Amino acid sequence: MHRISDFKLGGISRRNFSMFRSLCGEASLRNVVIVTNMWGEVNEARGAEREKELANDDVLFKPVLDKGARMMRHLNTLESAQMILNHLVGNDTLALQVQREIVDQKKSIEQTTASEELKSEELRAAERRQEEAARKQ
């Protein structure tokens, strides 16, 4: 779920979405719905423009949408909530990547793609802290 009123997606949201993708895997992305909300906080034109920006963001939503995910609006109404849920209920059940890795491939949690993503993110964060400390000196 993403607030359409947010001007940009912060680092934590990007990291969370990256981890989400690692847990799900590419094959199950067709069952994903990216829900935008807070439409009452922006005018329709600005919201639609922001929605288009998000859908075309190569780092964030575009790759997921290209794999079959769908972007839907929650307009703070029962009807829009039901429409989203009806779309989800109609999806075929798919195992997540982390499930396939642990159950089918007999990997430990530390060996999963999600764990590798977490380790990579921790390494990138440590590098950013070092660079920031070097700039302050």
Short mmCIF file of all heavy atoms in Angstrom, two decimals, residues 19-28 94-116:
data_model
loop_
_atom_site.label_atom_id
_atom_site.label_comp_id
_atom_site.label_asym_id
_atom_site.label_seq_id
_atom_site.Cartn_x
_atom_site.Cartn_y
_atom_site.Cartn_z
N MET A 19 12.88 -6.06 -0.24
CA MET A 19 12.79 -7.29 0.55
C MET A 19 11.51 -8.05 0.19
O MET A 19 11.53 -9.28 0.06
CB MET A 19 12.81 -6.96 2.05
CG MET A 19 12.69 -8.19 2.93
SD MET A 19 13.91 -9.48 2.63
CE MET A 19 15.38 -8.70 3.24
N PHE A 20 10.43 -7.34 0.02
CA PHE A 20 9.16 -7.96 -0.40
C PHE A 20 9.36 -8.75 -1.70
O PHE A 20 8.93 -9.89 -1.81
CB PHE A 20 8.10 -6.87 -0.57
CG PHE A 20 6.82 -7.34 -1.17
CD1 PHE A 20 5.90 -8.02 -0.40
CD2 PHE A 20 6.53 -7.10 -2.50
CE1 PHE A 20 4.70 -8.47 -0.96
CE2 PHE A 20 5.36 -7.54 -3.07
CZ PHE A 20 4.43 -8.22 -2.29
N ARG A 21 10.04 -8.14 -2.66
CA ARG A 21 10.30 -8.81 -3.94
C ARG A 21 11.17 -10.04 -3.75
O ARG A 21 10.96 -11.06 -4.39
CB ARG A 21 10.96 -7.85 -4.92
CG ARG A 21 10.00 -6.78 -5.42
CD ARG A 21 10.63 -5.87 -6.43
NE ARG A 21 11.04 -6.64 -7.61
CZ ARG A 21 11.84 -6.17 -8.54
NH1 ARG A 21 12.32 -4.95 -8.45
NH2 ARG A 21 12.16 -6.90 -9.58
N SER A 22 12.16 -9.97 -2.85
CA SER A 22 13.01 -11.12 -2.58
C SER A 22 12.24 -12.26 -1.94
O SER A 22 12.49 -13.43 -2.22
CB SER A 22 14.18 -10.73 -1.67
OG SER A 22 15.01 -9.80 -2.30
N LEU A 23 11.31 -11.92 -1.08
CA LEU A 23 10.49 -12.95 -0.43
C LEU A 23 9.52 -13.59 -1.42
O LEU A 23 9.33 -14.81 -1.41
CB LEU A 23 9.70 -12.34 0.74
CG LEU A 23 10.52 -11.96 1.96
CD1 LEU A 23 9.69 -11.08 2.89
CD2 LEU A 23 11.02 -13.19 2.69
N CYS A 24 8.92 -12.76 -2.26
CA CYS A 24 7.91 -13.26 -3.21
C CYS A 24 8.53 -14.01 -4.37
O CYS A 24 8.03 -15.06 -4.77
CB CYS A 24 7.08 -12.10 -3.77
SG CYS A 24 6.00 -11.36 -2.57
N GLY A 25 9.57 -13.46 -4.95
CA GLY A 25 10.14 -14.01 -6.16
C GLY A 25 9.38 -13.51 -7.38
O GLY A 25 8.27 -13.00 -7.29
N GLU A 26 10.01 -13.67 -8.53
CA GLU A 26 9.44 -13.15 -9.78
C GLU A 26 8.14 -13.84 -10.17
O GLU A 26 7.21 -13.21 -10.65
CB GLU A 26 10.47 -13.29 -10.91
CG GLU A 26 11.77 -12.53 -10.67
CD GLU A 26 11.60 -11.03 -10.68
OE1 GLU A 26 11.02 -10.50 -11.63
OE2 GLU A 26 12.07 -10.39 -9.73
N ALA A 27 8.06 -15.14 -9.97
CA ALA A 27 6.91 -15.92 -10.45
C ALA A 27 5.61 -15.52 -9.78
O ALA A 27 4.55 -15.57 -10.41
CB ALA A 27 7.17 -17.41 -10.26
N SER A 28 5.66 -15.12 -8.52
CA SER A 28 4.41 -14.82 -7.82
C SER A 28 4.01 -13.35 -7.91
O SER A 28 2.96 -12.97 -7.38
CB SER A 28 4.51 -15.25 -6.35
OG SER A 28 5.51 -14.51 -5.70
N LEU A 94 0.00 -19.36 -5.45
CA LEU A 94 1.39 -19.59 -5.86
C LEU A 94 2.29 -19.58 -4.62
O LEU A 94 2.09 -18.77 -3.72
CB LEU A 94 1.86 -18.49 -6.81
CG LEU A 94 1.17 -18.40 -8.16
CD1 LEU A 94 1.59 -17.13 -8.89
CD2 LEU A 94 1.51 -19.62 -9.00
N ALA A 95 3.26 -20.46 -4.60
CA ALA A 95 4.24 -20.47 -3.51
C ALA A 95 5.17 -19.28 -3.67
O ALA A 95 5.54 -18.91 -4.78
CB ALA A 95 5.04 -21.76 -3.51
N LEU A 96 5.55 -18.69 -2.56
CA LEU A 96 6.51 -17.61 -2.58
C LEU A 96 7.91 -18.17 -2.79
O LEU A 96 8.18 -19.35 -2.50
CB LEU A 96 6.47 -16.84 -1.25
CG LEU A 96 5.14 -16.21 -0.87
CD1 LEU A 96 5.24 -15.57 0.50
CD2 LEU A 96 4.70 -15.21 -1.92
N GLN A 97 8.80 -17.33 -3.26
CA GLN A 97 10.17 -17.78 -3.49
C GLN A 97 10.80 -18.32 -2.21
O GLN A 97 11.45 -19.36 -2.23
CB GLN A 97 11.02 -16.64 -4.05
CG GLN A 97 12.47 -17.06 -4.27
CD GLN A 97 13.23 -16.06 -5.09
OE1 GLN A 97 12.69 -15.48 -6.02
NE2 GLN A 97 14.48 -15.87 -4.76
N VAL A 98 10.60 -17.62 -1.11
CA VAL A 98 11.20 -18.06 0.15
C VAL A 98 10.64 -19.43 0.56
O VAL A 98 11.37 -20.27 1.10
CB VAL A 98 11.03 -17.00 1.26
CG1 VAL A 98 9.58 -16.88 1.73
CG2 VAL A 98 11.97 -17.27 2.42
N GLN A 99 9.37 -19.70 0.26
CA GLN A 99 8.80 -21.02 0.55
C GLN A 99 9.45 -22.09 -0.32
O GLN A 99 9.79 -23.17 0.17
CB GLN A 99 7.29 -21.00 0.30
CG GLN A 99 6.51 -20.15 1.28
CD GLN A 99 5.06 -20.02 0.87
OE1 GLN A 99 4.77 -19.63 -0.26
NE2 GLN A 99 4.16 -20.35 1.78
N ARG A 100 9.59 -21.80 -1.60
CA ARG A 100 10.20 -22.78 -2.50
C ARG A 100 11.64 -23.07 -2.10
O ARG A 100 12.09 -24.22 -2.13
CB ARG A 100 10.16 -22.27 -3.95
CG ARG A 100 8.77 -22.27 -4.56
CD ARG A 100 8.79 -22.00 -6.06
NE ARG A 100 9.56 -20.83 -6.45
CZ ARG A 100 9.09 -19.59 -6.49
NH1 ARG A 100 7.82 -19.34 -6.18
NH2 ARG A 100 9.86 -18.59 -6.87
N GLU A 101 12.36 -22.04 -1.69
CA GLU A 101 13.75 -22.23 -1.31
C GLU A 101 13.89 -23.07 -0.04
O GLU A 101 14.73 -23.97 0.03
CB GLU A 101 14.44 -20.88 -1.11
CG GLU A 101 14.64 -20.13 -2.41
CD GLU A 101 15.21 -18.74 -2.23
OE1 GLU A 101 15.13 -18.17 -1.12
OE2 GLU A 101 15.73 -18.21 -3.21
N ILE A 102 13.05 -22.80 0.95
CA ILE A 102 13.15 -23.53 2.22
C ILE A 102 12.58 -24.94 2.12
O ILE A 102 13.20 -25.91 2.57
CB ILE A 102 12.47 -22.73 3.35
CG1 ILE A 102 13.27 -21.45 3.65
CG2 ILE A 102 12.33 -23.58 4.62
CD1 ILE A 102 12.59 -20.49 4.59
N VAL A 103 11.43 -25.08 1.50
CA VAL A 103 10.77 -26.39 1.45
C VAL A 103 11.30 -27.26 0.31
O VAL A 103 11.75 -28.38 0.53
CB VAL A 103 9.24 -26.21 1.32
CG1 VAL A 103 8.54 -27.56 1.16
CG2 VAL A 103 8.68 -25.46 2.53
N ASP A 104 11.25 -26.74 -0.90
CA ASP A 104 11.63 -27.56 -2.06
C ASP A 104 13.14 -27.72 -2.21
O ASP A 104 13.62 -28.80 -2.54
CB ASP A 104 11.06 -26.95 -3.35
CG ASP A 104 9.55 -26.87 -3.35
OD1 ASP A 104 8.91 -27.61 -2.58
OD2 ASP A 104 9.00 -26.04 -4.10
N GLN A 105 13.87 -26.64 -1.99
CA GLN A 105 15.31 -26.68 -2.20
C GLN A 105 16.08 -26.97 -0.92
O GLN A 105 17.31 -27.02 -0.92
CB GLN A 105 15.78 -25.36 -2.82
CG GLN A 105 15.14 -25.08 -4.17
CD GLN A 105 15.41 -23.67 -4.66
OE1 GLN A 105 16.32 -22.98 -4.18
NE2 GLN A 105 14.62 -23.22 -5.62
N LYS A 106 15.36 -27.10 0.19
CA LYS A 106 15.95 -27.45 1.49
C LYS A 106 17.04 -26.48 1.94
O LYS A 106 18.02 -26.87 2.57
CB LYS A 106 16.52 -28.88 1.45
CG LYS A 106 15.58 -29.94 0.94
CD LYS A 106 14.66 -30.42 2.02
CE LYS A 106 13.88 -31.65 1.55
NZ LYS A 106 12.49 -31.39 1.37
N LYS A 107 16.88 -25.22 1.61
CA LYS A 107 17.85 -24.21 2.04
C LYS A 107 17.52 -23.77 3.46
O LYS A 107 16.36 -23.78 3.88
CB LYS A 107 17.79 -22.97 1.13
CG LYS A 107 18.31 -23.20 -0.26
CD LYS A 107 18.27 -21.91 -1.05
CE LYS A 107 18.86 -22.08 -2.44
NZ LYS A 107 18.86 -20.79 -3.17
N SER A 108 18.55 -23.35 4.18
CA SER A 108 18.31 -22.72 5.48
C SER A 108 17.87 -21.28 5.21
O SER A 108 18.05 -20.76 4.12
CB SER A 108 19.59 -22.73 6.32
OG SER A 108 20.55 -21.85 5.76
N ILE A 109 17.33 -20.65 6.21
CA ILE A 109 16.88 -19.27 6.05
C ILE A 109 18.05 -18.38 5.62
O ILE A 109 17.90 -17.50 4.77
CB ILE A 109 16.23 -18.74 7.35
CG1 ILE A 109 14.90 -19.44 7.56
CG2 ILE A 109 16.05 -17.22 7.31
CD1 ILE A 109 14.21 -19.12 8.86
N GLU A 110 19.23 -18.65 6.16
CA GLU A 110 20.41 -17.85 5.83
C GLU A 110 20.84 -18.00 4.37
O GLU A 110 21.56 -17.16 3.84
CB GLU A 110 21.59 -18.22 6.73
CG GLU A 110 21.38 -17.84 8.19
CD GLU A 110 20.51 -18.85 8.95
OE1 GLU A 110 20.35 -20.00 8.49
OE2 GLU A 110 19.99 -18.46 10.00
N GLN A 111 20.40 -19.07 3.71
CA GLN A 111 20.78 -19.31 2.33
C GLN A 111 19.76 -18.78 1.32
O GLN A 111 19.99 -18.86 0.12
CB GLN A 111 20.94 -20.82 2.09
CG GLN A 111 22.07 -21.45 2.88
CD GLN A 111 22.05 -22.97 2.79
OE1 GLN A 111 21.00 -23.59 2.89
NE2 GLN A 111 23.22 -23.55 2.58
N THR A 112 18.67 -18.23 1.78
CA THR A 112 17.61 -17.78 0.87
C THR A 112 17.97 -16.46 0.19
O THR A 112 18.83 -15.71 0.66
CB THR A 112 16.27 -17.59 1.61
OG1 THR A 112 16.43 -16.55 2.58
CG2 THR A 112 15.80 -18.87 2.27
N THR A 113 17.30 -16.20 -0.89
CA THR A 113 17.47 -14.94 -1.61
C THR A 113 17.13 -13.75 -0.71
O THR A 113 17.82 -12.73 -0.74
CB THR A 113 16.57 -14.93 -2.86
OG1 THR A 113 16.90 -16.05 -3.67
CG2 THR A 113 16.73 -13.65 -3.65
N ALA A 114 16.11 -13.91 0.12
CA ALA A 114 15.72 -12.82 1.02
C ALA A 114 16.83 -12.52 2.02
O ALA A 114 17.12 -11.35 2.30
CB ALA A 114 14.42 -13.18 1.75
N SER A 115 17.46 -13.56 2.54
CA SER A 115 18.56 -13.36 3.47
C SER A 115 19.74 -12.68 2.78
O SER A 115 20.38 -11.78 3.33
CB SER A 115 19.00 -14.69 4.07
OG SER A 115 20.08 -14.50 4.96
N GLU A 116 20.02 -13.09 1.55
CA GLU A 116 21.10 -12.47 0.78
C GLU A 116 20.80 -10.99 0.52
O GLU A 116 21.70 -10.15 0.59
CB GLU A 116 21.32 -13.21 -0.54
CG GLU A 116 21.87 -14.61 -0.37
CD GLU A 116 23.21 -14.65 0.37
OE1 GLU A 116 24.07 -13.79 0.11
OE2 GLU A 116 23.38 -15.54 1.23
#
